[in-house]
Structure formats: structure tokens, C-alpha cells
Amino acid sequence: MIAVLTGGTGGAKFVDGLRQVVSPEELTMIVNTGDDLLWWGLYVSPDLDSITYMLAGLLSKERGWGVKGDTFQCLQAMGELGQPIWFHAGDRDLAVHLVRSQLLAEGKTLSEATAEIASKLGVRARILPMSNSRVETRILTPIGELSFEEYFVQRWYQDPVESVRYAGSTDAEPAPGVVEAILDSEIVLLAPSNPVSSIFPILAVQGIRGALRRTKARIAAVTPIVGGAAVSGPAGILMEAQKLPVALAGVAQAYADFLDVLIADTRDQESADKLRRSSSLHVHCTNTIMRSFKERADLARAVLTFAKRETKAQLMSDSDCR
Ligand code: GDP
């Protein structure tokens, strides 16, 4: 079994690679819900949706979010009615938000709603929200505290970030199956998702970080930072706000208490060598930029091959990036 901690965009590309090389029954996704929002009265879970659509073969490749070929007639009509339209929900996407909201209103948990939607869309991998309780990533800026989607989508991450917190995390429990998936898997993977806005909210849920420290699974992370910058989005800005270097070393530092293997990009060989010399981490270099379906599969295959190595000696020899 393989458990994957993931957010939406970078995470979904990596998940696409995994679904090309591993049978879906072997995969459990543990998904960030810190970005969830109420939109037009509906419960929207952007990362759960992206991962579900990706596994269902429905994610729009051009946009990286939403359903491929979707239309936006409702969005247009809402604009005409004077409603906010900065968060772009497509028409087919809205059907999912409606069903989820309805299931939640009937008293189902987010886990149950997620499983039901995934099953209806033909997804065979398991998709778990990190928690059934509300945990909200809040970004403190000079204009006040913003939700992640306000900061990222509405305001294009232009505001200086003073700090980040995960409201509700201290009272939140992991969703059913999350801790078990971490403890019972042979491999736990951290997708190249934004550490601060996609992975830290998962780690902030009580008991998840502890399970990662306790598990016998080999834990491997793929870096979202290449050449000293985020491949896309505000990961660098948010890492700086959390006092983490925007570098391979910062990714290692973010996960230092449980990580076994870090997958770096080939262009960061020097940083990888330095990191290997200064820590017990096994660092492996490969191309981590996923431009095509093939590059996604190649990365997933490389990560799994590396994470599956049995002995320390093999890890040591393979971790040479040259
Ligand atoms: P979000 O929930 O939509 O913000 O999505 P994620 O957190 O899963 O993905 C965003 C992160 O993915 C960013 O920090 C990017 O640096 C990273 N990312 C995006 N595409 C790639 C890629 O092709 N390769 C790598 N290594 N990282 C990527």
C-alpha cells in the first residue's frame, strides 16, 4: 500500500504519474482541506476536487483545476445577478459542490461525501480528507487575515505575508483511515505540493505528524522547490513567512522529523550533495518538472523505485545525484 499526502495542483500532477504506474487499489490519498470554502452557499473543497477529478480522468490539463471541457454559464449568470465571481466554479464542477453540500446537509461526514462522489465518478483509489473537522489555513497580511483562496485566487498572492496559521487544527482529529493508512503502508509519499498551504495543514491535524514519526513505512517527499524557487504559485513566499529557506534545504527542514528520502531536481545537484553531507537524509536527483503525462509517470516510477530500496547501503549508493 502507498499513502500520498497531497494538495491540489502540483499534487494532482504527481498523482497522475502514480495512477499511470500503480494499480489504484494500492493508493490512498490523504488530501489537504485547509483551502475549503463556502462559495455561493456550497461547500467547496478545491484539493479534494482536483485529486478526485485527476483520478477519474476528468481534470482539465490546461487549467490544472476543474473539469476538462467544462462550461461557465452559471458563473456568468451569477455575475449578472451581482454575486462574487472571483472563484471560478465550472458548471459540471458545481454539480459536485451541490452533491457534496447536500450530503453534508443530510448529516454525512466529509469522508463519506468524498467516498460517495469518488465512487460515482468511477475512482478506484481511496481518497480521504485529512480531517472531517474544519481546519482553515489563514494568511495574515497587512490588510488583515485572509482565507487561503482569498489570498491566492481573489488577490493573486500579492499581499505581503506576515504569518500563517491553521485555525481549528488543535481540535481536529484525522478522518477515519488516515492514521491507519500512514501506519499500514509500505511507502508514504509527500507530493510536490506547497509545504505551507497544502502539507502543513495535514501535519497540523492532531496525530498525523505522530503517525508519520511512528510508521515503519519509508517516507519520501518530492520537492516543489527547484533552482531556489517554487515551480509555481506562492510556496516560496509562504516558506519565507514560516522562516524556511526557499531551497531544497528548506523542504528538508520542513519535514525533518519524519522524512527518509527527498527527491530533488537534477538541476539542484549541488544543494543535494550539500544536504546529504549535512544530514542523514537520502537525497535522490531526477527530473521533477512534470510537463507531460510521460514526465509525470517517469517521476512517479523514479520515486517509487527509490523509496522501495530495501537496504541503507543501496540508498546510500543510489543517492549520489551525479
Ligand atoms: P494547491 O493546493 O493547488 O496549491 O496545489 P499543490 O500544493 O499540490 O501544488 C502547488 C505546488 O506544486 C507549488 O508549490 C509548485 O511549486 C509545485 N509544483 C507544481 N508543478 C510542479 C512540477 O511539475 N514539479 C514539481 N517538482 N513541483 C511542482
Side-chain angles (χ1 to χ4, degrees), residues 77-315:
M78 288 298 268
E80 286 159 14
L81 289 169
Q83 296 297 307
I85 53 167
W86 56 262
F87 187 82
H88 288 184
D91 297 326
R92 292 186 63 86
D93 212 7
L94 268 172
V96 167
H97 307 328
L98 281 162
V99 170
R100 179 188 294 114
S101 304
Q102 191 182 337
L103 292 170
L104 293 175
E106 285 167 8
K108 297 252 167 75
T109 63
L110 185 59
S111 301
E112 289 165 341
T114 302
E116 197 161 324
I117 292 164
S119 152
K120 287 277 189 305
L121 294 177
V123 174
R124 302 209 322 275
R126 199 153 62 122
I127 306 176
L128 305 175
M130 63 190 197
S131 175
N132 281 328
S133 308
R134 195 74 191 91
V135 176
E136 233 188 308
T137 300
R138 306 285 302 170
I139 315 285
L140 185 63
T141 73
I143 62 151
E145 210 177 46
L146 303 172
S147 72
F148 182 71
E149 296 300 339
E150 286 166 338
Y151 165 73
F152 182 53
V153 181
Q154 186 181 20
R155 300 183 58 84
W156 291 77
Y157 53 100
Q158 296 299 312
D159 301 284
V161 176
E162 291 169 4
S163 63
V164 182
R165 70 182 183 105
Y166 308 101
S169 62
T170 42
D171 300 324
E173 291 190 358
V178 167
V179 167
E180 293 78 357
I182 292 169
L183 294 180
D184 298 344
S185 291
E186 289 96 55
I187 296 172
V188 176
L189 300 175
L190 275 69
S193 290
N194 186 327
V196 178
S197 63
S198 290
I199 304 294
F200 284 2
I202 305 178
L203 302 180
V205 175
Q206 298 306 300
I208 295 189
R209 198 159 202 141
L212 287 163
R213 288 181 185 149
R214 277 200 329 274
T215 184
K216 292 200 171 64
R218 190 167 302 284
I219 306 181
V222 181
T223 182
I225 303 294
V226 174
V231 177
S232 62
I237 300 167
L238 296 177
M239 285 175 76
E240 260 173 17
Q242 297 296 76
K243 313 273 180 290
L244 288 167
V246 186
L248 192 62
V251 182
Q253 199 179 318
Y255 309 138
D257 53 325
F258 57 78
L259 194 65
D260 301 310
V261 180
L262 179 58
I263 313 300
D265 195 88
T266 31
R267 72 197 71 175
D268 286 323
Q269 283 180 3
E270 247 176 62
S271 317
D273 282 343
K274 207 165 143 200
L275 190 57
R276 202 173 317 109
R277 280 197 300 273
S278 63
S279 73
S280 58
L281 201 59
H282 302 289
V283 189
H284 181 63
C285 296
T286 189
N287 169 42
T288 68
I289 303 297
M290 299 172 279
R291 280 159 299 224
S292 64
F293 292 119
K294 183 179 178 303
E295 280 179 332
R296 295 172 181 183
D298 288 346
L299 177 60
R301 209 175 285 114
V303 170
L304 289 175
T305 305
F306 200 70
K308 275 180 190 158
R309 301 271 187 217
E310 292 296 318
T311 67
K312 226 176 177 152
Q314 275 173 310
L315 277 167

Side-chain angles (χ1 to χ4, degrees), residues 25 31 38 60 67 93 117 161 167 177 191 197 273-274 320 322:
E25 288 77 12
V31 182
L38 277 180
S60 162
V67 178
D93 212 7
I117 292 164
V161 176
S197 63
D273 282 343
K274 207 165 143 200
D320 190 339
R322 273 153 299 183

